[in-house]
Amino acid sequence: MNYMEEFHRSIEISRKAFDGYFLPKLQSLFSTFGDSRVSEACLYSLEAGGKRIRPSIAINSYAPYLHSVEELIKDKNYEDILLIGASLECLHTYSLIHDDLPSMDNDDLRRGKKTNHIQYDEATAILAGDALNSLGFYLLSLLKQDLRTVKDCFQILHDGVGLPGMISGQMEDLQEEGKAKRSLLAENTDPVDKLLSIHAKKTGALIVSSFLLGNRLRTDFEIRQETVKSYAKEIGLLFQITDDILDVEGESTVIGKTSGKDAKNGKLTYPSVFGLEKAKQLRDESKEKAINLGKQLGETASPFFLGFPEYIAKRKN
């Protein structure tokens, strides 16, 4: 079995373990909150599917050599790594709900279904996103770890989805589109630097958090941390370049969201800055760099770390 076959097996195992846990856990939680339109809207977006990439990253960062779901179930941190995955998926889904709002990207299709504000209404969608944001952090509070580990996990997650990461990236993206006023402190107008800044925060930061959260539950987390972080940053870059290319070349029915919107909205993207062919070259260079960084993990460089860059670069949705 080559490393790509082993990679796909690892993805399948982690997704199977996560899917068997996630929706029943969330449905049970929402049932304790009482019936409400907001709860219904939250579950609508959570149940819409998605690739569960971030939970899979966390699981495989923690357990790089998965051979079966049963093997993961026997692990002492089994429920905690799935709680981390659930937290990441809630926060990622919140970001999608808000990203699709009329004041943001104004999209009507997500994961192949009507976006939350189209299915419900804008006010409900805003509150559903708010609910999933707070729920993501609540799930981390359920970790059965020592205080230092839990504190570190909260910090890692905040760095990804809070003001240091995704929120600032979204703000910069909206400013570039002219949908929000520029900060008086913003001096850097170089489009390449701005492009890298936006996507390192808007897309890359939560991907980095996903890798670091899984790694944090390992006993050898400190030894691996810097290499995992460098690898994760490159994966975030690769993910965004590929996403930008798909917006140009992909079909809405395949990518699960409206294609061609980046150019229509005047977004700062890799194809708009470098051209499509150069963007593809940058994607391939990023893929190779990520693979080489994965190899630096030595004996813990699993087929997941080696296969993931290839998987992202070739994805169609």
Side-chain angles (χ1 to χ4, degrees):
M1 184 182 292
N2 63 38
Y3 76 84
M4 283 307 298
E5 289 175 332
E6 291 188 47
F7 163 79
H8 285 293
R9 183 178 69 176
S10 295
I11 282 284
E12 183 181 350
I13 290 168
S14 56
R15 282 180 180 166
K16 187 176 179 180
F18 182 72
D19 285 342
Y21 173 87
F22 178 59
L23 286 179
K25 177 72 173 179
L26 270 293
Q27 288 162 352
S28 175
L29 268 176
F30 277 108
S31 70
T32 68
F33 304 148
D35 292 332
S36 76
R37 184 173 174 82
V38 175
S39 293
E40 181 185 323
C42 288
L43 287 170
Y44 170 80
S45 290
L46 291 173
E47 292 171 352
K51 298 179 288 296
R52 311 304 196 203
I53 290 291
R54 289 149 192 84
S56 292
I57 287 173
I59 292 168
N60 283 280
S61 185
Y62 169 68
Y65 291 92
L66 280 178
H67 298 99
S68 68
V69 174
E70 291 71 28
E71 178 185 346
L72 185 62
I73 290 173
K74 292 177 182 176
D75 191 283
K76 66 176 183 177
N77 289 319
Y78 164 68
E79 186 167 2
D80 279 354
I81 193 60
L82 293 181
L83 275 171
I84 284 173
S87 170
L88 289 164
E89 192 65 17
C90 283
L91 285 156
H92 176 55
T93 303
Y94 127 71
S95 75
L96 299 182
I97 292 172
H98 280 194
D99 194 48
D100 292 331
L101 290 169
S103 59
M104 301 280 190
D105 274 2
N106 192 25
D107 216 329
D108 57 8
L109 188 68
R110 174 67 69 176
R111 291 172 171 172
K113 297 177 68 175
K114 292 178 182 177
T115 49
N116 201 287
H117 70 277
I118 296 294
Q119 179 69 16
Y120 294 92
D121 54 70
E122 188 173 357
T124 302
I126 290 170
L127 291 173
D130 291 344
L132 290 175
N133 187 341
S134 60
L135 185 60
F137 283 93
Y138 167 72
L139 290 170
L140 277 193
S141 75
L142 303 179
L143 294 177
K144 298 180 178 67
Q145 301 288 323
D146 62 87
L147 184 59
R148 181 196 169 194
T149 302
V150 174
K151 182 179 177 181
D152 285 353
C153 286
F154 271 93
Q155 181 68 56
I156 291 168
L157 188 60
H158 176 258
D159 286 347
V161 299
L163 198 55
M166 188 169 64
I167 299 298
S168 291
Q170 182 74 11
M171 185 79 262
E172 290 178 21
D173 194 29
L174 292 169
Q175 287 173 332
E176 286 301 310
E177 286 186 64
K179 291 182 178 179
K181 293 182 179 179
R182 292 179 184 273
S183 167
L184 295 175
L185 300 176
E187 298 176 358
N188 186 4
T189 57
D190 181 83
V192 175
D193 288 346
K194 182 58 67 178
L195 179 68
L196 292 172
S197 174
I198 289 172
H199 295 308
K201 297 171 186 173
K202 183 180 177 183
T203 301
L206 187 54
I207 289 175
V208 171
S209 290
S210 302
F211 276 102
L212 292 180
L213 283 167
N215 183 66
R216 184 59 185 83
L217 293 193
R218 293 174 59 93
T219 56
D220 62 348
F221 75 94
E222 288 180 300
I223 298 171
R224 300 170 82 243
Q225 184 167 285
E226 287 309 310
T227 303
V228 168
K229 188 173 184 179
S230 296
Y231 172 88
K233 285 182 177 179
E234 195 63 39
I235 288 292
L237 174 64
L238 175 60
F239 193 95
Q240 188 59 52
I241 298 173
T242 306
D243 211 47
D244 287 354
I245 292 169
L246 283 174
D247 186 78
V248 176
E249 295 187 328
E251 297 180 12
S252 298
T253 54
V254 177
I255 63 177
K257 58 183 179 179
T258 307
S259 61
K261 283 185 68 69
D262 288 349
K264 183 180 178 181
N265 293 337
K267 275 185 174 289
L268 202 61
T269 67
Y270 288 87
S272 73
V273 172
F274 296 102
L276 185 58
E277 292 309 310
K278 178 64 174 179
K280 289 180 179 180
Q281 180 185 331
L282 291 171
R283 174 198 61 195
D284 294 341
E285 289 173 359
S286 179
K287 178 189 72 174
E288 292 304 317
K289 185 175 179 181
I291 291 171
N292 288 330
L293 284 166
K295 289 177 180 177
Q296 292 179 24
L297 289 166
E299 293 181 0
T300 56
S302 70
F304 177 82
F305 279 87
L306 300 181
F308 198 44
E310 191 79 34
Y311 168 78
I312 293 175
K314 291 183 176 180
R315 69 189 181 92
K316 300 299 180 184
N317 57 20

